[in-house]
Amino acid sequence: MGNKLYDSTARKKKETKKRGRKKRPFPVTGKTITAIVFLAALYAMLFGMVKKQNEIGDAFRKSYKEAEGNTFDKTAAGIASAETAINKSVVGKRKLIDIFGLFQVVLGRKEVEAGSKENYVYKMDNGQLTFAYPAFDVTQAVAQLKGLKTACDAQGTQLLYVQWPFKIDKYNNLLPHGKTDYANQNADRLLAGLKENQVAALDYREVLHERYGSGEAYSSLFFNTDHHWKTETAFEAYTDLLDYLNKNYGYGYDPRITDRDNFVFEHVEQCFTGSQANRTGKFYGGVDDFTYIYPAFETDYVWEKYGKTLKKLLKREGSFNETLFFEAVKEEPDIAKPYRDNCYFNGNPALVKITNNQVEKGRILFVCDSYSKPVVSFLSLAVHHLEFMDLRDFTKIRLVDYIEDQGFDMVIVAYNVSATKRSTKDFFRFGADPEG
Amino acid sequence: MIFSSIVFVSVFLPVVILFYYAIAVLAKNHGGRTAQNYFLFLASLLFYGYGEVKFVFVMLASIFANWLFGLLVEKNRGNRKKSCMTLFIMAFFNFSILFLFKYLMFTIATANRFLGTDLAIPKIVLPIGISFFTFQAVSYVVDVYRGHGKAQKNPVNVGLYIAFFPQLIAGPIVRYETVAQQILFRKESFDQFSQGVCRFITGMAKKMILANNMGRLEDLAFGTELSSLSAGMAWLGAFAYSFQILFDFSGYSDMAIGLGKVFGFEFLENFNHPYISVSVTEFWRRWHISLGTWFRDYLYIPLGGSRKEGRAGLVFHLFIVWLSTGLWHGANWTFIMWGLLYFVLLTFEKLSGFAQKNNLRPLRHFYTMFFVVMGWVLFRSASLGAAFSYIKIMFFAGSAGIVDGDARYYFCEYAVTLLLCFAASFPVRKLLDRLFARWSARALVWEERCSAVWYIALFVVSLSYMAKSSYNPFIYFNF
């Protein structure tokens, strides 16, 4: 009896409790749904950070150790580095940047921040992304190149300045809302200064303009999503450069190495998000096709990569595709990836030395930035010893000393003129540096 | 640390929420609330120390001293003389610290300039949020003195009130009487938590999407050399800054109020669509409400407000309040002049009865916004000279043309964002709610449910701006 009574009371309590629960169901409101999604996102991000704790911790410890000052200063330095590592470790960062780009489309933005308050990526009227450059004084750069010529003349070394084309056509400004870019004007002033000082120069902008005009054909020479030219254009520039060297410097070469039929043009569609789309997201910038170009004939190379302190980092021996071409970059062709253009040199090295064992003549130093990587790669087919040097990485050595030490037949300089803005005591130390 | 950063959203906040509610569950019957308060206080110190470790000690000293002042005031409640003396010492202590960090350099520079002295100006770094936490500390002791809240026996509770991270670096200035009960007896619920999350997201979106975009535009205008600034660009910059400061500041307040709710606190509103005001008086009832009410309750009314000494007294009290308001925002003549501009406008409105009139609303709105925008130019400029030159250019005196290429370019570039800012200046959500409610109750329920899509979209877009590490200034260093 007692038990029955207890059971009935307990049941009633249970039912009341159940009824009570039924009366107050979980409130499915917009706010509660938001809160659940918000919490899920927060903890997913936290989980991502926990997975990267070693990198974040290392960043803190490294900066703490290296920082000068008292404990507070060291801690502040450590925190700053850890925060940078945290920012890099956000779960789904790539997707978030794509969403960022999509939102810029919604906002109708034609310029998008590219990493810092000063750097912007612009969407041109033809839909291509580009950087724009301010006007600046090129006097110092001209003086530095003149000094370099004097030093090269003393060594019996030829000097050639090459002005590669900009994505923004000199004759057709496609920047949004009438924005002005000064890269071409800067280059014009630099070339005029070089001419005045009898420094040999090739203005490749004019070669392309003559061949392609200023419309769509010109635009198609460049990636939509990257500041570089397409590898096909670089190949064309390589053949033109060799032709120019032959005509002007008597640099003979085997014509088979410029014949397109002797090369593999491996075209992959929609696989490349260039460095500009990488900054703005693929929904803003789109995706590019990419063509891997490499020789179909036998080659024999020694390829060495050096760091900023001239320390040898890597040595490869074998064919073109086993040395300066990095096959791994071609992996996952169905996925749009940045840095496909790293198939040549696998990054932007400070110094690369290429020895082509099948060619006996030629020692050329190419002082340039990443824009010239594919050209230098192809040019190595015609030169016994070719070096690629990005002077921006070297602040301690003087170029003239290096040329004197190594001895070259020819030095080719090919920079985006904006880089020469840095032609101070730390950059382009060609020999005209008063402190030099 | 700032709310609109990856480190806050992906590390600090989830960890703090996790531990806070874990403590609630694990120590439910063993002083859970005290443990939660200890934890929140420690988290707040970490939040503050993240940017500059050494200033944690300044804040701890302020907390400890004001805890003692609170106890002393309560102990001497029957003894008016002793209580007043304690209050006086408290005010002297708090405002001395504020003066030392915030105004000493300005005072010496001003003395050197106007008195011809040659005193060395020390380099003093301003602790972030010092004006906010000093005003809260003063509020604590004064409210205990007034009997609007009991003195906390435990210094950690005072610490939590003063240093609670949601309102620590950019407000709102929470008066003690409004949260005294909540420190020990608040009650969290998922509903309140959800409201807090939505409010936090709203604030984050205001900051990341509207304020930061406008910040870039106003930076361009105010950063242009005056000789090459066109009138069009100057106006664009002035509007952009007006929007930036509104959405930055109200965004931070939304985030603070939202985070307060997440931890069970209810803070009073700080902004209420100030740009719809039709008088300057109304503007200040809607703009930075917590500062306005602080000055009203702790300065204007104790001075006598509008009741004592007739019109002359009213004008004098307004002068003191608006001089102080200007100075509170920063140690610079631009802030003082900005405060005095409002002194003039509010005195005019009070004496003429302008604020009470209800006619010619568009004209009154134009008048209000005209002076608000001019005020922001003064507020934003580096010096009085720069401010007046900028204003001159706005009115075509010495401008590089009326509308130049830059003005056209940036207007086209930011047109949609400006439009969004304009729309967001109005109480759109309230209008929508009213519209749906008029339609049907069911529609209102569905509108609320669908708001999840809106909030989640805002959150993801804001997060994308953070992940992009886009321009994200912190504009309260002067405060």
Side-chain angles (χ1 to χ4, degrees):
Chain A
M1 225 10 214
N3 271 351
K4 265 188 181 176
L5 183 67
Y6 173 78
D7 285 350
S8 129
T9 317
R11 201 167 51 241
K12 267 182 190 169
K13 265 189 184 172
K14 222 174 177 179
E15 277 169 7
T16 317
K17 215 174 175 181
K18 267 187 182 172
R19 275 203 299 276
R21 269 187 204 152
K22 269 182 189 169
K23 270 180 197 168
R24 296 177 60 194
F26 182 79
V28 183
T29 65
K31 289 189 171 67
T32 52
I33 295 167
T34 307
I36 290 164
V37 174
F38 178 79
L39 283 174
L42 248 56
Y43 288 104
M45 286 193 287
L46 179 64
F47 183 66
M49 293 299 166
V50 171
K51 274 171 71 177
K52 301 259 176 141
Q53 58 176 305
N54 289 341
E55 286 153 51
I56 297 164
D58 288 347
F60 178 87
R61 280 186 290 275
K62 191 171 175 239
S63 290
Y64 184 91
K65 212 172 163 184
E66 286 171 1
E68 288 174 3
N70 57 30
T71 311
F72 290 134
D73 299 329
K74 283 172 172 285
T75 309
I79 287 173
S81 292
E83 185 160 355
T84 307
I86 286 171
N87 288 340
K88 281 182 189 165
S89 310
V90 188
V91 171
K93 182 162 181 156
R94 197 65 258 143
K95 285 198 165 57
L96 284 170
I97 289 176
D98 287 342
I99 290 167
F100 171 85
L102 181 65
F103 193 68
Q104 303 313 301
V105 175
V106 173
L107 290 181
R109 297 292 300 272
K110 298 284 185 184
E111 63 165 44
V112 175
E113 219 176 297
S116 78
K117 200 180 149 190
E118 285 77 30
N119 290 331
Y120 285 84
V121 168
Y122 298 88
K123 188 178 254 186
M124 294 197 284
D125 294 343
N126 62 2
Q128 287 187 324
L129 303 182
T130 186
F131 295 128
Y133 302 94
F136 62 87
D137 185 11
V138 296
T139 316
Q140 183 76 7
V142 171
Q144 293 283 0
L145 284 160
K146 187 186 164 194
L148 179 64
K149 183 179 182 329
T150 310
C152 284
D153 286 349
Q155 296 290 312
T157 304
Q158 304 280 0
L159 172 67
L160 174 68
Y161 179 84
V162 178
Q163 183 56 63
W164 293 137
F166 297 99
K167 205 166 172 182
I168 299 173
D169 187 359
K170 184 179 168 183
Y171 301 96
N172 186 18
N173 179 23
L174 291 173
L175 278 171
H177 317 310
K179 182 160 181 82
T180 318
D181 170 62
Y182 295 93
N184 280 300
Q185 290 180 29
N186 293 333
D188 287 344
R189 285 202 304 278
L190 180 76
L191 290 170
L194 296 183
K195 193 175 177 186
E196 209 171 286
N197 289 286
Q198 281 109 41
V199 178
L202 164 64
D203 188 355
Y204 196 64
R205 295 174 303 168
E206 297 302 336
V207 175
L208 288 184
H209 177 69
E210 210 167 283
R211 200 173 291 159
Y212 294 99
S214 281
E216 214 174 292
Y218 181 86
S219 302
S220 69
L221 299 172
F222 301 87
F223 289 116
N224 293 328
T225 67
D226 198 274
H227 57 295
H228 290 159
W229 48 10
K230 288 180 180 170
T231 44
E232 295 96 321
T233 319
F235 185 84
E236 191 177 332
Y238 144 70
T239 58
D240 286 333
L241 182 63
L242 262 185
D243 189 40
Y244 182 87
L245 294 179
N246 183 25
K247 281 178 184 161
N248 293 279
Y249 298 93
Y251 196 89
Y253 60 93
D254 183 345
R256 287 177 298 180
I257 63 166
T258 55
D259 184 350
R260 288 175 70 94
D261 292 340
N262 292 327
F263 287 81
V264 176
F265 284 72
E266 193 178 329
H267 186 77
V268 184
E269 286 186 354
Q270 300 288 292
C271 71
F272 178 49
T273 47
S275 69
Q276 288 163 334
N278 208 24
R279 290 166 162 97
T280 60
K282 65 180 174 189
F283 298 131
Y284 186 85
V287 181
D288 267 305
D289 298 346
F290 193 90
T291 305
Y292 303 100
I293 304 173
Y294 46 88
F297 49 89
E298 261 187 39
T299 47
D300 181 10
Y301 276 100
V302 178
W303 185 86
E304 294 162 310
K305 180 181 172 181
Y306 292 80
K308 293 175 185 180
T309 54
L310 294 183
K311 186 185 167 194
K312 195 188 284 180
L313 302 174
L314 183 64
K315 184 177 179 181
R316 299 175 104 195
E317 288 177 74
S319 68
F320 185 98
N321 284 36
E322 290 165 340
T323 52
L324 53 85
F325 190 86
F326 285 75
E327 293 276 354
V329 174
K330 288 161 65 179
E331 282 171 10
E332 299 178 292
D334 299 336
I335 301 171
K337 282 183 171 181
Y339 313 122
R340 295 282 185 197
D341 53 347
N342 277 352
C343 59
Y344 303 106
F345 296 177
N346 197 29
N348 297 327
L351 176 69
V352 161
K353 294 183 181 181
I354 310 164
T355 307
N356 185 342
N357 293 324
Q358 289 180 327
V359 180
E360 285 175 359
K361 61 164 186 173
R363 276 184 73 82
I364 297 179
L365 171 66
F366 223 108
V367 184
C368 55
D369 51 30
S370 57
Y371 197 92
S372 299
K373 273 194 310 180
V375 175
V376 174
S377 301
F378 303 136
L379 190 65
S380 69
L381 293 163
V383 184
H384 172 66
H385 184 84
L386 180 61
E387 295 193 14
F388 167 100
M389 177 188 263
D390 191 344
L391 208 57
R392 292 175 299 179
D393 288 325
F394 299 99
T395 53
K396 298 279 187 273
I397 66 160
R398 290 174 76 222
L399 183 65
V400 283
D401 295 340
Y402 186 75
I403 293 168
E404 198 181 325
D405 285 349
Q406 303 293 316
F408 293 100
D409 304 333
M410 182 170 223
V411 174
I412 301 173
V413 179
Y415 267 106
N416 180 330
V417 191
S418 72
T420 67
K421 198 163 64 166
R422 285 198 258 169
S423 59
T424 58
K425 65 184 174 64
D426 289 331
F427 186 58
F428 269 91
R429 300 183 73 190
F430 288 152
D433 179 3
E435 287 180 28
Chain B
M1 198 185 302
I2 54 173
F3 302 147
S4 52
S5 63
I6 289 292
V7 67
F8 181 81
V9 175
S10 64
V11 181
F12 185 84
L13 188 59
V15 169
V16 173
I17 291 175
L18 183 73
F19 278 90
Y20 180 79
Y21 284 100
I23 291 168
V25 173
L26 297 173
K28 196 174 181 183
N29 302 317
H30 309 285
R33 178 63 71 212
T34 309
Q36 281 180 309
N37 285 353
Y38 271 78
F39 172 71
L40 279 185
F41 177 57
L42 281 176
S44 299
L45 291 183
L46 186 70
F47 176 86
Y48 193 68
Y50 182 84
E52 193 67 78
V53 183
K54 57 191 168 202
F55 292 138
V56 170
F57 299 104
V58 176
M59 199 172 63
L60 282 173
S62 170
I63 290 166
F64 184 72
N66 285 291
W67 168 69
L68 280 178
F69 290 132
L71 289 177
L72 279 173
V73 163
E74 192 157 84
K75 190 185 164 195
N76 299 320
R77 192 174 291 286
N79 188 331
R80 191 176 158 77
K81 199 178 166 186
K82 277 188 178 173
S83 297
C84 285
M85 182 55 77
T86 312
L87 272 189
F88 177 77
I89 295 169
M90 176 279 296
F92 182 77
F93 171 80
N94 282 307
F95 292 120
S96 295
I97 291 181
L98 192 60
F99 177 81
L100 182 72
F101 281 106
K102 191 167 174 176
Y103 301 107
L104 183 62
M105 288 194 301
F106 173 67
T107 308
I108 295 173
T110 308
N112 285 349
R113 190 171 169 191
F114 292 109
L115 304 177
T117 52
D118 191 23
L119 301 167
I121 301 172
K123 276 190 179 172
I124 300 169
V125 181
L126 187 68
I128 293 175
I130 189 167
S131 301
F132 288 103
F133 72 70
T134 302
F135 271 40
Q136 290 210 174
V138 171
S139 164
Y140 168 68
V141 184
V142 173
D143 283 1
V144 170
Y145 168 77
R146 288 175 176 172
H148 293 167
K150 283 188 175 175
Q152 296 288 343
K153 302 288 179 280
N154 187 341
V156 169
N157 290 338
V158 178
L160 179 60
Y161 161 67
I162 292 175
F164 187 32
F165 72 87
Q167 35 80 24
L168 180 58
I169 55 169
I173 301 165
V174 178
R175 281 176 299 147
Y176 181 61
E177 63 173 323
T178 63
V179 291
Q181 283 291 312
Q182 297 176 37
I183 290 172
L184 287 173
F185 304 108
R186 65 185 177 277
K187 205 172 177 189
E188 301 89 349
S189 69
F190 191 66
D191 190 42
Q192 188 192 27
F193 182 96
S194 306
Q195 285 174 26
V197 166
C198 292
R199 193 65 188 269
F200 177 77
I201 290 172
T202 306
M204 198 159 80
K206 278 186 185 177
K207 162 75 182 152
M208 298 306 296
I209 300 170
L210 301 180
N212 287 356
N213 270 311
M214 289 294 101
R216 145 93 170 135
L217 180 56
E218 66 87 3
D219 257 7
L220 283 161
F222 283 89
T224 303
E225 275 203 24
L226 292 173
S227 58
S228 50
L229 184 68
S230 70
M233 192 64 196
W235 276 102
L236 205 54
F239 285 134
Y241 186 65
S242 303
F243 282 132
Q244 183 198 11
I245 196 158
L246 169 66
F247 293 115
D248 203 294
F249 210 171
S250 71
Y252 261 100
S253 290
D254 285 338
M255 287 190 268
I257 292 168
L259 287 171
K261 281 177 186 285
V262 163
F263 298 104
F265 286 89
E266 291 289 344
F267 299 146
L268 296 182
E269 290 299 327
N270 206 21
F271 286 84
N272 182 19
H273 306 285
Y275 289 169
I276 63 169
S277 306
V278 290
S279 70
V280 174
T281 309
E282 186 188 351
F283 172 78
W284 275 100
R285 277 196 209 114
R286 292 173 175 274
W287 179 275
H288 203 174
I289 301 165
S290 64
L291 181 72
T293 49
W294 194 99
F295 274 117
R296 184 195 65 199
D297 293 347
Y298 301 111
L299 187 63
Y300 183 65
I301 291 173
L303 280 171
S306 58
R307 292 188 188 84
K308 282 184 186 173
E309 300 157 37
R311 286 192 163 197
L314 168 75
V315 173
F316 179 68
H317 299 152
L318 283 173
F319 175 77
I320 296 294
V321 167
W322 288 99
L323 178 68
S324 310
T325 304
L327 270 173
W328 183 88
H329 285 86
N332 193 331
W333 284 102
T334 51
F335 296 115
I336 294 172
M337 285 304 288
W338 175 77
L340 293 180
L341 169 74
Y342 281 108
F343 157 68
V344 172
L345 293 168
L346 288 162
T347 305
F348 157 71
E349 289 191 4
K350 276 207 187 301
L351 294 181
S352 66
F354 179 89
Q356 278 76 47
K357 289 174 187 161
N358 202 23
N359 52 357
L360 298 169
R361 289 181 71 86
L363 208 63
R364 287 152 59 85
H365 181 70
F366 175 78
Y367 142 82
T368 306
M369 287 315 298
F370 175 80
F371 283 109
V372 167
V373 172
M374 289 305 128
W376 290 139
V377 172
L378 204 55
F379 193 93
R380 168 63 176 80
S381 299
S383 67
L384 280 181
F388 288 124
S389 301
Y390 192 96
I391 290 171
K392 264 167 57 185
I393 288 170
M394 289 170 78
F395 294 98
F396 317 112
S399 68
I402 298 172
V403 178
D404 64 349
D406 273 359
R408 265 192 300 275
Y409 176 79
Y410 289 112
F411 179 75
C412 293
E413 193 55 26
Y414 286 91
V416 179
T417 319
L418 281 163
L419 211 65
L420 281 179
C421 288
F422 181 76
S425 303
F426 292 91
V428 181
R429 185 67 204 263
K430 275 183 196 163
L431 292 173
L432 273 178
D433 284 353
R434 210 178 294 166
L435 197 75
F436 279 100
R438 202 177 291 170
W439 189 11
S440 79
R442 205 172 165 76
L444 191 64
V445 171
W446 277 104
E447 184 246 1
E448 201 284 329
R449 276 186 192 167
C450 291
S451 68
V453 177
W454 170 250
Y455 285 120
I456 292 164
L458 285 184
F459 177 57
V460 172
V461 172
S462 305
L463 209 56
S464 77
Y465 270 85
M466 285 184 221
K468 178 73 176 59
S469 303
S470 64
Y471 180 50
N472 191 10
F474 183 76
I475 60 174
Y476 311 105
F477 286 113
N478 285 317
F479 288 15

